[in-house]
Amino acid sequence: YALLSRGNLDGGFAHLQEHAAASGEPLLVELAYFNAMLRWDLPDVPLHFARGFLSRLLDAGQHAIALKVTLQCLHRNARFRPHTADVPRLLVVAEQAGHEDVRRALRS
């Protein structure tokens, strides 16, 4: 929290990823971090974290979790956008899950 609250997003996220990588389930640890960030008084931090996290989730085939994270981010800020390279993959995931609202949001 200290690094992130002072604006050092790169350093803070690197520290969190390093800690998560040392666990047996890094994506689950990162999900716990993301969920904790949603409760912080730093509204943009989880959105920035989610961009890289979504890439890792999609790469690992964790589509349901990626969709849930996307929904949480869009709920927090309707202008949220994942990394450009991840949008086509998220559109496919949203279509397969029947989330037309996510598809519309990512296309706008």
Side-chain angles (χ1 to χ4, degrees), residues 9 13 16 23-24 29 32 34-35 38 52 56 64 66 87 89 93:
L9 298 182
F13 294 157
L16 293 177
S23 75
V29 172
F34 173 74
N35 287 326
L38 291 172
R56 293 185 291 281
V87 171
R89 298 193 295 169
V93 168

Side-chain angles (χ1 to χ4, degrees), residues 90-104:
L90 283 168
L91 287 170
V92 168
V93 168
E95 181 176 4
Q96 291 171 342
H99 274 283
E100 187 59 35
D101 53 338
V102 173
R103 292 181 69 215
R104 273 192 304 275

Side-chain angles (χ1 to χ4, degrees), residues 4-71:
L4 297 171
S5 68
R6 291 184 178 102
N8 185 352
L9 298 182
D10 291 338
F13 294 157
H15 178 73
L16 293 177
Q17 283 182 268
E18 201 174 293
H19 186 265
S23 75
E25 296 286 341
L27 291 176
L28 290 178
V29 172
E30 286 190 69
L31 180 60
Y33 291 151
F34 173 74
N35 287 326
M37 288 177 203
L38 291 172
R39 295 186 299 272
W40 293 353
D41 61 347
L42 305 170
D44 292 335
V45 169
L47 302 178
H48 289 289
F49 181 79
R51 294 184 83 215
F53 184 40
L54 283 169
S55 297
R56 293 185 291 281
L57 287 168
L58 291 167
D59 289 347
Q62 296 294 327
H63 299 154
I65 297 172
L67 185 58
K68 183 174 181 175
V69 168
T70 302
L71 284 165

